[in-house]
Amino acid sequence: MADLDVAVVGAGFAGIYAVHAFRSAGLTVRAFEAGSGVGGTWFWNCYPGARCDVESKDHSYSFSPELEQDWSWSERYPAQPEVLRYLNHVADRFGLWPDIQLSTRVTAAAWDAARGEWTVTTDDGVSRTARFCVMATGCLSAHQVPSFPGLSSFRGPWHHTGQWPREGADFTGQRVGLVGTGSTGIQVAPEIAAVATHLYVFQRTANFAVPNRNAPVDQESDRNFKAGYREYRQRARESLLGVPVEGTGRPALAEPPAELQRTYRERWQAGGGLPLLGAYTDLLFDRAANDTIAAFIRDRIRETVADPAVAELLCPWTYPVGAKRLCQSDDYFAMFNRPNVTLVDVRSAPIVSVTPDGLRTAAGFYELDALVFATGFDAMTGALARIDIRGADGVPLTEKWAAGPRAYLGVANAGFPNMFLVTGPGSPSVLSNMVVSIEQHVEWIRDCIVYADGHGYSQVAATDEAEKAWGEHVIEVAYSTLFPLADSWYVGANIPGKVRVFSSYLAGVGSYRERCDAVAAAGYEGFTLSPVR
Ligand code: NA7
């Protein structure tokens, strides 16, 4: 008999809820977490300025009405320490600690066909068996440091934002180089600029960014909002991206120019990326429509940045707005008006090497005391690829995914029975409110296990045909949008040599949920369920 019903890998938002949901269904469960605390992405990314780009009222669990009433967020967009406090509160409140094993990295998971169970091995040298294995490993947990020649010779400290020192890093009086200007770089830069002698921002690709208009949550409006929380959550579940967004319902290209500008201005003033992208029905589908919002944002950059040459360098031109994650910051562009900040274009003159004293580009040398890499993640697949996962006949997952990741509904791999992925490739995942998608996946997986147990099945395995058809559907939907047009981490373009595949399902969390529910209602269509031998 297996040690556990379910082994869960990871204790971020997904793993924490998985422990609660599986345990509440009467299953024995243990989550293994590499960090010394829970939180996953929110544990590791403790760099200054780290903040969620989804509003706190949305980026929170909905499974417990009491939890959502009792917990009060202090800000519209929660900062990383508050998200971490929330997750620790959830673990305390639901008594999850006994089933979460911290400081334990899963190194391997192998399917034992003869016994019909998974053997999960951890870096403490221990192996446990489990009837089911649930990978709650996160989409952005394998950080990526570029392989610049000479990095090991650098005399000062260097940090990747996704592995930030827990004791913090003090840049007071230092010359700091920041590589990377995605969501993370844009958040950390103003914090460093505020204390450093000088900040050099090494930019390869300019990014669109919109204001957060972050503000404290006012207690009275919080009370009023919470009165309708249940109904709001339901709308989130049925929505496109897991956040209810009020659009105009009209295409931008049919809008009179003055009205278009008025709408963009209003939404820019209100803050947040989703209201802007959701303003018109064609913004993510028609390049000409998208150009109208791109031009609007470029005008705001020029309006904010005093030096016209710097402003032009900060203006993105090479991809549609939203096709890379739309960044959010209240102070990034204005930061370039500080005398101690220099923008360095490493597109025209790439980084050549790191030396003991600084960083060399094709055009010059920058003397530095510290280096910060906000260079992103091997997203979607990286965390799974770093575990030696072997399915039926010992086939490694990395081999199965050599031509790009494939998973039926983004939740199960053919050839890997009784293994489930939470927000895996082929599900809405990172192009949705992650918490909504996590809850939906965990509940679906729980129901699937309960169904199998209740009907005398010991094995649940996605079929090749279902997986293939789903993969084709995901790609078809993706290519009806503008998303594949950018060289983003959404397609794996940020990792040298990674196969370019668009791996999020873009038809919306509402219709995806309906699809998953229909599969379950049909007795898990597309899966082979095998009886206990
Ligand atoms: P991202 O969005 O992948 O951004 C990484 C940044 O680092 C981006 O500006 C990259 O430029 C830059 N980068 C990466 N490698 C290099 C090298 N070798 N040289 C120069 N510049 C480089 O990661 P984030 O952490 O900002 O955000 C990830 C997600 O976390 C975000 O979308 C939110 O969902 C939260 P590039 O654009 O590739 O030219």
Side-chain angles (χ1 to χ4, degrees), residues 53 140 146 148 179-185 204-205 207 324-325 346-347 351 374-377 489 494:
D53 59 5
L140 294 163
F148 296 130
V179 183
T181 53
S183 301
T184 302
R204 189 165 67 181
T205 309
N207 259 306
K324 280 189 173 205
R325 184 94 175 180
V346 293
R347 169 71 62 188
I351 296 168
T375 44
F377 302 87
W489 58 263
N494 63 324

Side-chain angles (χ1 to χ4, degrees), residues 193-215:
V195 295
T197 305
H198 204 94
L199 172 66
Y200 294 91
V201 178
F202 296 95
Q203 172 190 279
R204 189 165 67 181
T205 309
N207 259 306
F208 292 103
V210 302
N212 275 324
R213 312 286 180 208
N214 191 34

